[in-house]
Amino acid sequence: EGLEIPLRVPQTLMCAAYPPGAFYRRHLDSYQGRDIPRVLTILLYLAHEPARAGQLRVHDPRPSGGKRDIAPTPGRVVVFFAQEVYHEVLPSEGERLALTLWLWDYNKDDHGR
């Protein structure tokens, strides 16, 4: 309600175990809601062994650019707009465990229509 965006919680939650060296290239979690109607991304880091590398790199959408690296510290919660914030995951030196929940646009079906 505070965001003034009608959201719904889908019946899926992603629990992921990333092996050493795993990474994601720069991307959005939803492309204007046409693919999957994701609006918000919520990450919860569960474990990271050893606790080196594997940061979430968030790219500033402003023309001046810039980026910020967020360490996958166990217990840390990260929330961002799925259709606006480009991000990537840098290669980790150890296993990384995380839960991801996406809140969806209430007015679209599961296919973004």
Side-chain angles (χ1 to χ4, degrees):
E1 264 182 46
L3 294 173
E4 298 181 7
I5 302 171
L7 298 171
R8 67 184 168 110
V9 179
Q11 295 181 2
T12 57
L13 176 72
M14 183 174 81
C15 180
Y18 301 97
F23 65 93
Y24 277 101
R25 296 196 190 281
R26 182 179 162 148
H27 67 283
L28 292 171
D29 283 344
S30 180
Y31 291 86
Q32 298 175 348
R34 292 187 308 252
D35 49 355
I36 299 172
R38 297 172 178 163
V39 176
L40 287 177
T41 297
I42 303 169
L43 293 169
L44 170 62
Y45 292 108
L46 302 175
H48 186 213
E49 297 296 333
R52 292 190 305 272
Q55 300 91 337
L56 174 69
R57 176 167 286 170
V58 178
H59 296 268
D60 190 328
R62 294 176 290 194
S64 60
K67 53 192 167 226
R68 179 175 180 197
D69 291 346
I70 301 169
T73 304
R76 175 170 281 157
V77 174
V78 181
V79 180
F80 56 89
F81 286 103
Q83 297 175 21
E84 298 174 21
V85 178
Y86 278 92
H87 58 285
E88 61 187 293
V89 177
L90 303 179
S92 179
E93 294 178 13
E95 185 176 53
R96 225 176 42 250
L97 300 174
L99 290 176
T100 305
L101 173 66
W102 290 280
L103 299 186
W104 290 5
D105 185 327
Y106 183 82
N107 297 313
K108 294 189 177 184
D109 69 13
D110 294 355
H111 305 287
R113 297 178 291 227

